[in-house]
Amino acid sequence: MGGEQARSSSDYPKLAAGPVGKQIHNIYKDRLQMFTSSGQYESQSLLSIMYEGRASGSPALKLSVWDAPNLSRPTFKEATASSNTYRPAKIGDSFGPSWSTHWFKVQMTVPADIKNKEHLELHWDASNEGMVWTKDGEPLQGLTGNGERPEWVIPKAMRDGKEHTFYIEMACNGMFGNAPGGDPNEPPSPDKYFMLQQAEIVAVNLEARALFIDFWLIGDAAREFPEDSWEEHEALQVCNKIMDVFIAENGDPKCLAACRKLATKYIGSKVDSAKIYDGDQEVLVQAVGNCHIDTCWLWPWAETKRKIARSWLNQCDLLERYPEHRFVASQAQQFKWLKMYYPSAYDRVKEKVKKGTFQPIGGSWVEHDTNMPSGESLVRQFLYGQRFFESHFGERSTTFWLPDTFGYSSQLPQLCRLAGMSRFFTQKLSWNNINNFPHTTFNWVALDGSQVICHMAPAETYTADAHFGDVKRSITQHKSMDQDATSLLMFGKGDGGGGPTWQMIEKLRRCRGISDNVGRLPRVKMGESVDDFFARLEKKAKDGTEFVTWYGELYFELHRGTYTTQANNKRNNRRAEILLHDIEYLATLASIKDTVMGGKSGYKYPKADLDDMWEAVLLCQFHDCLPGSCIEMCYDDSDELYQQVFHTGETLLNTALDTLGFQPANSGNGSLVAINTSPYPRSEIIKLPSLPNTPSFGLLSGSVGLSTIEPLKAATSSSVTVKETKSDVFELSNAHYSATITSGLITSLYDKRANRELVPEGKKGNQLVLYDDKPLYWQAWDVEVYHLHSRKPLHPTPGKTRILESGPHRASLEIFTPISSASSITTTVSMSAIPSSSSATTSPPQPALEFSWHATWHEDKSFLKVEFPTPFHSTSASFETQYGLITRPTHYNTSWDMAKFEVCAHRWADLSEATFGMSVLNDGKYGFAVQGSTMRLSLLRAPKAPDGHADMGHHWGRYAVLPHEGPVDAATVQAARTFNNPVAAPFPNGIGTGSHKADGRGVSSLFPYTSTPDLIRTHASAKELGKLLGAIHMAPSSAPSIVLDTIKRGEDDEDVSREVSGAGTVLPPRKGQSVIIRLCETVGGRCRGRVETGGLGVKRACRCNLLEDDEAECELRDGGFEVEVRAFEVVTFRLCL
């Protein structure tokens, strides 16, 4: 066969030594847990040599405790006052009740037998949260019970055998509050007690601890790599060999070096230092620590302030121990609280910020809801957030950070770009319960065409434990690898705070070691910032990569009930936003009055008070507070804060009006006028305050700023009538509409001008309906699609409909509808006369019918809505969103369509055909649905968790229907804005104008409508002042869809500038006076307009961004300047006086 073969001289054994079987794979894999788990083999496992010594009790640890009274949270100085009596305490003692605070004085003497051990820690575990303080009052580190973060590294200086004193502040709540059994979907228990289970000095064998992490990660590779891969088999073999060596040496600590050497075969030899990340190998996963602290949720704001200090000090400690660690923190509010209540902790954080290891991020005041805040509120979230970061840390954020909120407004990309942010990070859509969102990294495009580069962590969490699986899923769940395979891994304990632990950082080192030495696991890296990650994406786009696009809202297919839950809180938000708008408008004009008109009023723009009000409102827009998913204590807090906002606002409003020369309506000085704070001329019939020799109604008419009031003494040609045509059948009629109310329901609404019937035959409008509302789990958050099958129409009480007002200026019917034996709703249906003034043709249209309602609500897991069937057939409906509108399907063609069975809307929703349609307006609701031809406004829910009394008590509100020709247009936008800005009491006969103390909670429906400004006054020189109040307005030739949304003073004007939220560094003041105005296009069409500035003497006008950085100069001509705006564009200008 081609030549002579050489003889074999192999040393391979000729005879078999004995049988060798194939390993039973699953048995050898299951064996691994025995090495590191507690249980029957713990005494012979790695855990048995983890610690080299322990000491507890006296004299090593002498404990005494002072119990803070009345659930107070005293400061260190208060807690350590000489008047406080500290009583002896010991392991096994219990402390409570829920939310109480207990201060422990710890007198520690490290015993001689362990004081020279390599590493000593205090282990403290009471299944709750705590904080270590020095005897001098410096907070050092947070502690978390149940083994999560119980250790504090004892300083070398305390290992001298002498007694050292420090304190531990115990908070009687877990990381997730005090929910019974730890279930966040239950109201907190008021009487939980916490046992001190562990208080001991521990000498840690660091080599054993390191082997524990080695084995954990190699074991994960054996468990999570595919069984048909060599990498999985190799991991299993290494782990079993480690166990075999340990057993052979009878668990002697001397075998640790040999065991760890075996581990290096899989993880390499660099895992004990940050050098593991050296090298220029391709990295796919960038790990960044974060600590998502809900500003309120299952705990009140007061506890959040302590969580911030505990969590961030923990990270300061880790940043000093692990050079590769980087930690990001968002929410300017939390930084402000830290500075106010823990100044030394703030200084420590600021030091790390300067080094670049502690990285502020996000650019907003809080991690806010984006569905319900107004457009201006979103602007202020960025304005206040960015100004805080710039003034305190010298930089603005370039990344909008919002990992945990319940859907994302379609205008966020535009506002981000206008606030200096081109990047967006989130992940919440991974919770969708119907459709799987298809992208990881993509361009998100706003209504106006603006875009941000968006990344959604493919690990599908912002609180990863940095497990092997988290790194692995960062690739296996990545949906955009055609364009870019890199991803962010955000790790750290979150929601309740905490952040990364040392174990997480150690695990990531091993993950990198596995990638470098074995492969298959994507390579992870620490030591870089979120901005570094996005910068690489932006460079890749610049170099030609085309990232996919997503246009419009990022609708969250879960938590749809949050548009409705905690109705009082949502109403307070709407009223506070409007109040702030009005105050800024009037205060701006009052502050420039002397400059424009002469005089020496001495009035100063109330910047400090306005900042306080805005910061309060922005805080209440946190993504659990405004949506209604917090515990009851949080709404006690927000009620109190709104009360302060309304009280301050009333004072500021009156002061500005006094400066402008207005006097109360009953003063008798000057003519009766109405202050028109809306951006449109108005013509409407209003209810007048009770004045001597004055009729009850008046005709309001006039331009922007100031309107005249003509008292109406008698009926006019455009009067309204009401009559009972037969038993329980009423007809209301004015010049434009007639409506028939049969047994309390609308059976006809007829538009006389268009010759159209708006209630389909056999249908009934203003139909209250009740639904069974039991979601799969999250009660306050969710409403599920199956609730629609439980529709139950409610029937007004026969014969109880009565005439409240009989015309000629307004006609009203009162209708009583029982809901259950404990609940009912009284609705007032009103129709007003149609004004015949010359301004009526240019003012917003008047609704056909207005509805005011008062409900007594004591239901259990029910959902109340009001519905209006229409004759319109359209595949989409329109809903107001911030600075625009969004269309959504009315059908269920696909699962994506059906998922939007409940959606968010602001002041209006509309269903139209090409020739005609109808809008439903509201003054404080956000939940809506359009199913086919039926429009439904969501009124009230009744979840029982996490607030066991959510929405129980009394509620008020208003809504209206507005028929219109053609599709939805600017007329609806205008009508909804004026509906939300009444100049007179919005309820007939004063219904709902007082405060009410709701059942089950203190002041929960604060000032139902007292936050509506009192805008009917008298003025001695109304004509002259009207020129000032209406000086800034859109010229009549402007496109009607352009809205002048905001008028305010420049943030840094020298007569306005102040320290930003207590900043040590003031942003540079700007010389002179300026007025900031903000415009938006609202219905979706590029158009032109002209801003008139009247006699203000504007010297210069320029376009600026949301942060009020000047950009482009405007050409002033004839007291104004021209503007051109894209569809749904938001534009800001500075007017320099």
Side-chain angles (χ1 to χ4, degrees), residues 930-1067:
V930 178
Q931 184 180 14
S933 298
T934 299
M935 306 177 74
R936 295 193 188 98
L937 176 65
S938 298
L939 299 179
L940 295 169
R941 296 187 70 225
K944 298 305 174 188
D947 177 357
H949 303 104
D951 285 317
M952 297 298 98
H954 294 263
H955 298 270
W956 293 266
R958 297 166 60 236
Y959 53 90
V961 292
L962 175 69
H964 58 80
E965 290 192 9
V968 64
D969 61 14
T972 288
V973 176
Q974 297 171 3
R977 282 177 173 258
T978 54
F979 184 74
N980 275 265
N981 286 71
V983 298
F987 284 104
N989 300 331
I991 295 173
T993 57
S995 63
H996 179 80
K997 202 166 186 175
D999 305 343
R1001 178 156 62 238
V1003 185
S1004 69
S1005 54
L1006 293 160
F1007 310 114
Y1009 282 93
T1010 56
S1011 56
T1012 297
D1014 177 12
L1015 298 179
I1016 298 179
R1017 301 286 178 116
T1018 61
H1019 202 283
S1021 305
K1023 187 174 181 180
E1024 285 301 309
L1025 186 71
K1027 296 177 182 178
L1028 174 65
L1029 293 188
I1032 305 173
H1033 64 276
M1034 300 304 300
S1037 60
S1038 301
S1041 63
I1042 299 178
V1043 174
L1044 176 54
D1045 187 69
T1046 297
I1047 297 176
K1048 64 183 285 292
R1049 287 297 305 276
E1051 290 291 316
D1052 296 315
D1053 289 359
E1054 59 186 351
D1055 64 328
V1056 166
S1057 179
R1058 63 185 290 259
E1059 289 192 3
V1060 182
S1061 305
T1065 303
V1066 182
L1067 294 174

Side-chain angles (χ1 to χ4, degrees), residues 336-354:
K336 180 180 179 180
W337 277 340
L338 189 72
K339 182 176 182 181
M340 290 173 62
Y341 300 110
Y342 300 90
S344 66
Y346 175 81
D347 289 341
R348 194 173 169 193
V349 164
K350 194 165 185 178
E351 176 195 350
K352 299 294 186 292
V353 172
K354 288 180 180 178

Side-chain angles (χ1 to χ4, degrees), residues 83-102:
S83 58
N84 296 337
T85 301
Y86 277 72
R87 58 181 175 82
K90 64 183 185 304
I91 294 174
D93 289 349
S94 292
F95 302 90
S98 305
W99 311 115
S100 62
T101 298
H102 307 268

Side-chain angles (χ1 to χ4, degrees), residues 46-55 110-111 113-124 150-156 159 198 200-213 253 256 321-322 502-503 506 510:
L46 178 59
L47 299 182
S48 67
I49 60 171
M50 190 71 70
Y51 303 110
E52 299 175 316
R54 297 174 182 267
V110 177
D113 62 334
I114 62 171
K115 72 176 186 177
N116 293 319
K117 295 293 184 180
E118 180 183 9
H119 186 79
L120 297 184
E121 295 176 348
L122 173 74
H123 285 197
W124 179 280
E151 71 281 342
W152 172 57
V153 178
I154 296 173
K156 299 280 188 185
R159 298 166 60 166
Q198 185 180 25
E200 59 182 348
I201 303 169
V202 176
V204 180
N205 186 326
L206 292 181
E207 194 73 354
R209 177 178 277 181
L211 178 60
F212 183 94
I213 305 295
L256 290 172
R321 292 161 56 189
Y322 291 93
W502 66 264
Q503 294 97 324
E506 294 283 355
R510 272 76 176 172

Side-chain angles (χ1 to χ4, degrees), residues 566-731:
Q566 298 289 359
N568 289 328
N569 195 57
K570 290 173 168 59
R571 184 196 58 227
N572 285 337
N573 174 72
R574 179 81 62 86
R575 303 318 299 172
E577 289 174 335
I578 293 170
L579 180 62
L580 278 160
H581 168 277
D582 291 354
I583 293 170
E584 288 185 331
Y585 165 68
L586 293 167
T588 294
L589 297 173
S591 70
I592 64 173
K593 175 176 175 285
D594 293 349
T595 302
V596 176
M597 301 179 68
K600 297 182 179 180
S601 68
Y603 179 83
K604 183 174 174 61
Y605 189 76
K607 184 69 166 64
D609 288 330
L610 283 169
D611 284 348
D612 290 344
M613 290 177 67
W614 267 117
E615 287 180 12
V617 172
L618 300 179
L619 172 58
C620 290
Q621 290 172 349
F622 178 73
H623 69 252
D624 279 303
C625 186
L626 181 55
S629 50
C630 291
I631 61 172
E632 186 171 6
M633 296 170 75
C634 299
Y635 295 105
D636 293 338
D637 287 347
S638 65
D639 285 348
E640 183 179 348
L641 206 51
Y642 277 123
Q643 185 176 21
Q644 295 171 13
V645 167
F646 294 143
H647 176 76
T648 301
E650 183 179 7
T651 300
L652 297 185
L653 188 77
N654 287 330
T655 301
L657 290 174
D658 290 347
T659 300
L660 292 167
F662 289 101
Q663 296 189 43
N666 60 4
S667 68
N669 298 322
S671 56
L672 196 64
V673 294
I675 300 125
N676 176 18
T677 61
S678 79
Y680 314 109
R682 297 180 76 152
S683 179
E684 58 195 86
I685 292 173
I686 61 172
K687 185 74 177 287
L688 298 180
S690 179
L691 300 170
N693 305 313
T694 302
S696 298
F697 289 89
L699 173 62
L700 178 151
S701 61
S703 60
V704 173
L706 203 60
S707 298
T708 63
I709 295 177
E710 176 190 348
L712 297 174
K713 296 181 180 180
T716 66
S717 59
S718 59
S719 299
V720 62
T721 62
V722 60
K723 58 184 177 181
E724 187 171 13
T725 58
K726 55 184 177 181
S727 178
D728 217 15
V729 179
F730 297 83
E731 184 178 290

Side-chain angles (χ1 to χ4, degrees), residues 28 208 241 283 324 344 398 403 447 449 467 486 495 509 540 670 701 816 952-953 1011:
Y28 281 80
K241 287 175 182 177
V283 173
E324 73 268 34
S344 66
T398 59
L447 293 179
H467 289 318
T486 63
D495 292 328
R509 287 180 174 180
K540 198 164 186 179
S701 61
F816 178 80
M952 297 298 98
S1011 56

Side-chain angles (χ1 to χ4, degrees), residues 140 270 298 315 347 422 682 769 850 925 1021 1122:
L140 295 177
K270 298 180 180 180
L298 304 178
Q315 298 314 305
D347 289 341
S422 60
R682 297 180 76 152
V769 287
E850 295 187 15
K925 295 297 173 186
S1021 305
E1122 304 294 319

